[in-house]
Amino acid sequence: MFKNKKFLGTAFIIVILFLLAMSLLTMASVSYPIVPKGQSDFYYLYKQMLWMIGGLACFSFAAMMNYKRYKEIKIFSALYIIGIIGLIAVLLFGSKSKGAVRWIDLLGFRIQPSEFSKLIIIIVVSVLVERLKKKNMIATKPWISALIILGVTGVYSFLIFAEKSYTSMIQVAAIGILMLFISGINLPIFSIISLFLVILGNILLMRDKYRVDRIEGHKNTQVIPFQVQQSLIAIGSGKLTGRGYGNGFQKYKFLPEIHTDYILSGFAEENGFIGVLFLILVYVFLLAIILMVAFKIKDMFAKYLLIGIFVMFATQILGNITVATNMLPSTGISLPLMSYGGSSIFVSMFALGIVYNVIRALYKQEMGDELDEINEVEYMM
């Protein structure tokens, strides 16, 4: 049993490092033709390396900090308020790009607060669900409990909606709804609330002409948007084994955003179906570890945290793949640990650091006091 737990932590670290390495290799290949004028061919690669160094620092901090500290009112309330301030700051001072206001420039860096809001809402709602369960309010006052959970989530969803970052809004809302479900709330009440929120979400999304046109355009199989068309060409031309590393064509300014939202397409062109299948299996393995730990850990707060993190990663991965393959309308959604961007890497690595901290707690849970008598570091790595 102990060796299995040792393998779990080691495998988790290996998977993360593998994905980071794949990101750098892919970035080195697909990004140099699209660097800003006057910059080095490895402009995006160097910046991605910088983001990863920061991401590893985030991972280390979260891995060492006891996850139970997030339950302290001064911590989770501060996080929630900081998240609101960040989202409001974007609306007031943010940079507009492609009709959306998602980024804010700070000290020479572009920050996307909606990315950080996903992890913040997971932490805050996990705390609320645990407290409501302990007070038995989920069973005795389900409507009030639902109002508290969805109210807290709704503030973030509304602010992100105002930024026109619809994908992030849906992710945050989905996290809140799922947390409500796993809280054990009465199923008929949950069904009524979910139906209402789905209808409300559709009404809000359909109010935006740009969004409606994009959805209608996706339904029209006769006319495929240029970006999606180029993505499909990249994936199709990779065939079984790919064109070979560095030999892709779509990176030569044929496929926009090939280093961010469509990095999977660039990867597929050079590595083929086999390469993509292997990459997806690595992601599945990562998600399986998170889910396994969530089921094994006895502490309910840890369960809520990990299930929320699982949903965040699963929706992000699935969303990116379905957009790249034209199964869903094109939208800005990055591939975790692969796509270029500091905000996404920082949040992903911090979330994975929390998971690793829970894995350490799982060691102690299953080994009892024996682990305290041994050099813990030896068994973590």
Side-chain angles (χ1 to χ4, degrees), residues 341-352:
S343 297
S344 176
I345 289 178
F346 291 166
V347 171
S348 296
M349 291 298 286
F350 199 101
L352 293 172

Side-chain angles (χ1 to χ4, degrees), residues 146-379:
L147 185 62
I148 293 172
I149 294 170
L150 297 179
V152 167
T153 307
V155 172
Y156 272 39
S157 297
F158 174 78
L159 291 172
I160 296 172
F161 176 78
E163 298 175 6
K164 296 189 177 180
S165 181
Y166 301 118
T167 307
S168 294
M169 183 204 74
I170 291 172
Q171 277 188 286
V172 169
I175 290 167
I177 293 171
L178 182 78
M179 290 295 198
L180 183 63
F181 176 74
I182 65 175
S183 70
I185 196 168
N186 180 280
L187 191 57
I189 293 176
F190 174 78
S191 301
I192 293 170
I193 293 172
S194 298
L195 180 61
F196 170 76
L197 292 176
V198 169
I199 295 172
L200 178 62
N202 274 285
I203 292 172
L204 291 174
L205 291 176
M206 292 301 110
R207 289 181 61 201
D208 192 307
K209 185 177 183 302
Y210 170 75
R211 180 60 48 182
V212 173
D213 291 344
R214 178 167 282 191
I215 293 173
E216 291 300 321
H218 181 262
K219 293 179 181 178
N220 183 3
T221 56
Q222 302 301 315
V223 181
I224 301 177
F226 175 79
Q227 191 174 26
V228 176
Q229 187 180 58
Q230 297 303 311
S231 174
L232 294 175
I233 290 173
I235 294 171
S237 61
K239 298 182 180 179
L240 185 64
T241 58
R243 293 183 183 274
Y245 182 72
N247 295 327
F249 293 145
Q250 292 301 310
K251 62 189 175 187
Y252 294 105
K253 300 185 179 179
F254 291 106
L255 175 57
E257 312 297 339
I258 193 171
H259 64 310
T260 56
D261 300 341
Y262 285 89
I263 195 168
L264 180 68
S265 305
F267 180 87
E269 184 179 16
E270 298 189 355
N271 297 279
F273 174 78
I274 292 176
V276 172
L277 180 61
F278 182 74
L279 182 64
I280 291 174
L281 288 175
V282 172
Y283 275 119
V284 169
F285 189 53
L286 178 70
L287 293 173
I289 292 176
I290 297 173
L291 208 55
M292 187 186 308
V293 177
F295 280 120
K296 286 182 175 292
I297 195 74
K298 294 177 181 178
D299 182 63
M300 293 307 297
F301 177 62
K303 283 184 184 291
Y304 299 145
L305 276 177
L306 264 58
I307 291 173
I309 291 172
F310 172 86
V311 172
M312 182 181 79
F313 274 95
T315 54
Q316 196 93 7
I317 295 165
L318 191 60
N320 182 274
I321 293 172
T322 52
V323 166
T325 54
N326 197 32
M327 296 172 67
L328 285 178
S330 179
T331 184
I333 182 167
S334 60
L335 187 61
L337 304 182
M338 282 286 290
S339 293
Y340 172 83
S343 297
S344 176
I345 289 178
F346 291 166
V347 171
S348 296
M349 291 298 286
F350 199 101
L352 293 172
I354 293 175
V355 175
Y356 190 72
N357 186 261
V358 176
I359 291 176
R360 296 176 66 179
L362 182 62
Y363 289 148
K364 292 184 179 181
Q365 171 188 296
E366 301 213 352
M367 295 308 300
D369 294 334
E370 181 180 344
L371 188 61
D372 295 332
E373 301 172 3
I374 307 173
N375 185 348
E376 187 173 324
V377 176
E378 177 186 349
Y379 291 96

